[in-house]
Amino acid sequence: MNVNSIYLLFGLAVSLVLTYFIIKRMGKSGCITYGYVALLIVCINSMAIGSMFFMYSASHDIYSVITSGENYTSTVISFTSEEHHDSDDGSSYTMYTPTVRFITKDNRIIVRELDFSTSSMDVGDSYKVNYNIETNKVIVLGFTLAIKLVGAFIFCFIFSFLFVGIIMYAFNRDMKAYTALVSKIGFYFFVPFLMIGFNLLLIYGIFFGNTVPFWVTLLLIFFVFMLTLATFGYLKMMFLKGEPKMKQVSPGKWTGDWENKK
């Protein structure tokens, strides 16, 4: 039995144990309940572990770009296409994966298929890449690398909290303090991080991204301006009013407001 199989069996065993304790705390029974809860927990645990590996990979790429390798401008010499269909509205779209070519400082010609796809592409398009001769790894720079890091952080943040919450609930811990902590972290850190982080991504794309038409640059500048105003407004509200108090106004419906409006 290989290492991956051992990890898989261990993860399934942990998920089944958590399922048993969660069902016990809920006071429910029945095969359908067990199956539904077990499937939900397996999905959350898998996403939590996967997001951690994704975060490690993105962070390692950033570290590699900063500490090693050389930056080059590569040119698309060919691409492969894959047709995707949307079963909901019957539409279809095509995604293109580029193969690029660039010459290193020691005059080596590198041809490599990049690890992303996009909806539009032409031969001759350029992409900024980092190439490490020791590992023979090509990392795409610009907006693609930044999006990968931010996406990895978001998924890791969300699913790590869900994973911790499942463990606490399964072992009969008081969830009020936990939910209050999650609410505060989300309000005071996660939302501002998303707003500021996305704005920095847009600014990064304007100055260091790949070449785009002038009207796209103007559109990015407009979004940067609007998001900057929205961020300042959110931070002002956060420091002056603090976190809004949530109240249940009807079954399944909640609303938030401040007790002392300023």
Side-chain angles (χ1 to χ4, degrees):
M1 183 178 294
N2 57 36
V3 176
N4 291 333
S5 298
I6 295 175
Y7 286 151
L8 178 61
L9 291 176
F10 178 76
L12 289 175
V14 171
S15 298
L16 291 177
V17 171
L18 292 175
T19 299
Y20 170 77
F21 284 107
I22 288 176
I23 294 294
K24 184 178 179 181
R25 180 172 180 177
M26 293 171 59
K28 302 290 185 179
S29 62
C31 295
I32 295 179
T33 301
Y34 270 94
Y36 176 78
V37 174
L39 179 62
L40 182 62
I41 292 176
V42 168
C43 290
I44 292 177
N45 291 350
S46 300
M47 292 297 292
I49 296 172
S51 65
M52 292 176 187
F53 280 108
F54 187 31
M55 184 66 190
Y56 169 79
S57 175
S59 301
H60 186 269
D61 284 351
I62 294 290
Y63 176 78
S64 298
V65 169
I66 295 174
T67 61
S68 62
E70 298 288 345
N71 295 339
Y72 300 98
T73 299
S74 65
T75 303
V76 177
I77 59 174
S78 64
F79 52 81
T80 58
S81 61
E82 184 176 355
E83 195 80 10
H84 296 269
H85 298 278
D86 190 333
S87 58
D88 294 332
D89 57 11
S91 62
S92 61
Y93 57 95
T94 304
M95 299 298 292
Y96 303 93
T97 302
T99 296
V100 299
R101 176 183 180 272
F102 59 93
I103 302 175
T104 64
K105 290 184 176 180
D106 57 354
N107 292 320
R108 294 176 58 193
I109 298 177
I110 306 296
V111 177
R112 190 68 54 84
E113 183 179 71
L114 301 183
D115 59 352
F116 75 95
S117 299
T118 181
S119 58
S120 62
M121 184 172 298
D122 293 307
V123 172
D125 288 350
S126 62
Y127 289 95
K128 296 177 182 178
V129 298
N130 177 275
Y131 176 67
N132 190 323
I133 191 173
E134 296 181 359
T135 61
N136 196 31
K137 184 175 183 179
V138 175
I139 300 174
V140 183
L141 302 176
F143 206 63
T144 302
L145 182 61
I147 282 290
K148 181 180 179 181
L149 179 63
V150 173
F153 175 81
I154 292 173
F155 279 100
C156 188
F157 183 90
I158 293 174
F159 285 102
S160 294
F161 268 100
L162 288 175
F163 181 68
V164 172
I166 286 175
I167 294 177
M168 292 183 64
Y169 186 86
F171 290 96
N172 207 31
R173 299 293 183 181
D174 184 13
M175 300 300 293
K176 291 183 179 180
Y178 174 77
T179 54
L181 176 63
V182 172
S183 177
K184 288 185 179 298
I185 291 178
F187 182 78
Y188 288 105
F189 171 73
F190 190 63
V191 173
F193 171 83
L194 289 182
M195 298 177 75
I196 296 173
F198 190 69
N199 209 8
L200 292 176
L201 282 178
L202 293 176
I203 295 173
Y204 183 88
I206 292 173
F207 291 99
F208 302 105
N210 298 304
T211 304
V212 295
F214 181 69
W215 67 269
V216 175
T217 302
L218 290 179
L219 188 61
L220 290 175
I221 293 174
F222 171 76
F223 280 124
V224 166
F225 176 74
M226 296 303 296
L227 190 53
T228 300
L229 293 179
T231 303
F232 275 115
Y234 184 90
L235 293 176
K236 180 180 179 181
M237 174 199 68
M238 185 178 72
F239 286 112
L240 292 179
K241 295 185 176 183
E243 185 181 2
K245 304 298 181 182
M246 301 301 296
K247 296 180 181 180
Q248 187 173 10
V249 295
S250 63
K253 184 177 181 180
W254 293 73
T255 184
D257 203 352
W258 290 268
E259 293 180 353
N260 298 315
K261 297 181 180 180
K262 295 183 181 181

